[in-house]
Amino acid sequence: MADIVTIAHFSDLHLGPIPRPKPWQLLNKRIFGFVNWHRRRRSDEGMDRLEALVRDAATMVPDVTVLTGDFVNIALPQEFAQARHWLDARFDPAHTMAVLGNHDAYVPGAINAARTTFADYLRGDNGGPLPVRRIGGAALVGVNSAVARPPHLSSGRVGQQERDALLHTLERLGDTFKIVLIHYPPDQDLARGRRGLDDCEEVREVLAAGNANLVLHGHNHRPSARTLTTRDGEALMVGVESGSSDGSHYPPAAYNIYRINTGDGAVTMEKRTAIAANTISNETFNFAPLNTA
Ligand SMILES: [Fe+2]
Ligand SMILES: [Fe+2]
């Protein structure tokens, strides 16, 4: 079935401010993230830009909004509660699909709290091994790559079980336009070693063997667009800026709108950038049909 599917892609919201932690909550890796956050994101500027982008995205009336992780900063329980409240006021879980990032799994055990808190956004249409949502002639597949790591390490891992589930899911989707949501870029040139995906090569093999069409990711807080040769064509892999960047350490906050022709696989991407809290710029990119199989 040929149709146009419209997707808004936000990532790395790193919602702030961080609620005041109890002293004992900082007796672990969180202390580093807490100090860092206060050094870098003290102003409200980033959140103001994010609010402008969210209002802008609503006017685009996307079929679905996807969020590729790092909702919070240091995974405090009070941060999760605040983030869920924030999301619910702006997005409808029925039309929003998310995966988690390393900051949502910042300390051991945090990912379980994140999974519970954001369950309505992480879920698929039904109970397969991985969450899948069908949108017209496309399907979204959520892959978890976030794991707790010691201080100064922010690498991720999908793991054998989840990779097997991804391959099975992609194969089962057949000719559907397959969109994979993952926090980390599956590309060693974009993130490697201490901040990359441990099993990057294995994940790429699965994306290729399963004929993924589009991979949407975050983590780098910088824009990127790469291709990956798949069994029958090419997958486009797009990374988006942080939705709440004030522009001082990373490119300014932005989100992407993809319009996908699921018949021929052509993708048009509009990048909407908050160059200030009250000014959004627009840039359009056209990607040729990627998989004609
Ligand atoms: Fe991030
Ligand atoms: Fe990240």
Side-chain angles (χ1 to χ4, degrees):
M1 181 179 64
D3 57 0
I4 303 290
V5 171
T6 305
I7 298 176
H9 176 202
F10 283 84
S11 197
D12 298 81
L13 304 184
H14 292 285
L15 297 167
I18 297 178
R20 180 181 273 280
K22 307 262 186 263
W24 56 266
Q25 290 180 314
L26 295 178
L27 294 176
N28 51 30
K29 177 178 176 177
R30 284 192 184 115
I31 186 70
F32 301 103
F34 188 66
V35 169
N36 234 343
W37 190 88
H38 276 274
R39 248 193 3 228
R40 290 188 167 195
R41 301 177 206 260
R42 198 174 268 281
S43 82
D44 296 333
E45 173 70 20
M47 286 301 292
D48 291 346
R49 292 190 194 203
L50 173 58
E51 295 286 8
L53 292 176
V54 169
R55 285 194 300 272
D56 184 72
T59 68
M60 304 282 173
V61 201
D63 295 307
V64 65
T65 299
V66 301
L67 306 162
T68 48
D70 281 0
F71 292 100
V72 298
N73 300 283
I74 55 174
L76 290 166
Q78 33 307 29
E79 261 190 301
F80 285 139
Q82 182 176 283
R84 173 71 205 237
H85 188 74
W86 188 94
L87 285 173
D88 285 351
R90 291 157 183 83
F91 297 101
D92 174 0
H95 300 283
T96 311
M97 188 173 179
V99 291
L100 300 173
N102 52 304
H103 282 261
D104 308 313
Y106 206 64
V107 292
I111 196 162
N112 297 326
R115 283 197 165 120
T116 304
T117 304
F118 302 117
D120 295 338
Y121 294 91
L122 302 173
R123 66 169 180 76
D125 292 327
N126 45 37
L130 291 186
V132 175
R133 296 219 203 162
R134 289 180 179 271
I135 317 284
L140 301 166
V141 182
V143 178
N144 181 62
S145 55
V147 284
R149 295 290 196 206
H152 310 301
L153 196 60
S154 57
S155 54
R157 180 173 183 79
V158 173
Q160 176 89 54
Q161 196 181 342
E162 187 109 349
R163 291 199 310 268
D164 290 349
L166 176 59
L167 182 59
H168 174 77
T169 304
L170 292 174
E171 284 175 343
R172 193 167 46 89
L173 286 168
D175 289 341
T176 308
F177 190 94
K178 297 180 282 289
I179 304 163
V180 174
L181 310 180
I182 183 168
H183 180 64
Y184 287 83
D187 191 320
Q188 301 259 28
D189 292 341
L190 296 173
R192 63 168 63 211
R194 302 178 74 82
R195 55 177 306 280
L197 198 54
D198 287 352
D199 51 353
C200 186
E201 281 314 309
E202 292 92 333
V203 170
R204 288 169 71 88
E205 282 167 19
V206 167
L207 294 169
N211 263 327
N213 298 91
L214 180 63
V215 178
L216 303 181
H217 67 83
H219 187 59
N220 273 7
H221 296 205
R222 297 177 191 283
S224 58
R226 299 289 174 110
T227 54
L228 171 73
T229 302
T230 60
R231 202 187 64 206
D232 294 340
E234 278 191 323
L236 173 65
M237 307 201 295
V238 184
V240 70
E241 292 86 336
S242 161
S244 63
S245 168
D246 65 7
S248 60
H249 290 84
Y250 291 103
Y255 75 97
N256 292 337
I257 286 269
Y258 310 94
R259 291 189 181 84
I260 300 159
N261 182 327
T262 62
D264 67 6
V267 176
T268 300
M269 181 182 109
E270 250 185 85
K271 180 175 293 298
R272 309 282 294 175
T273 305
I275 51 176
N278 54 5
T279 312
I280 293 175
S281 70
N282 182 60
E283 212 177 339
T284 302
F285 303 82
N286 290 301
F287 299 101
L290 297 161
N291 255 357
T292 50

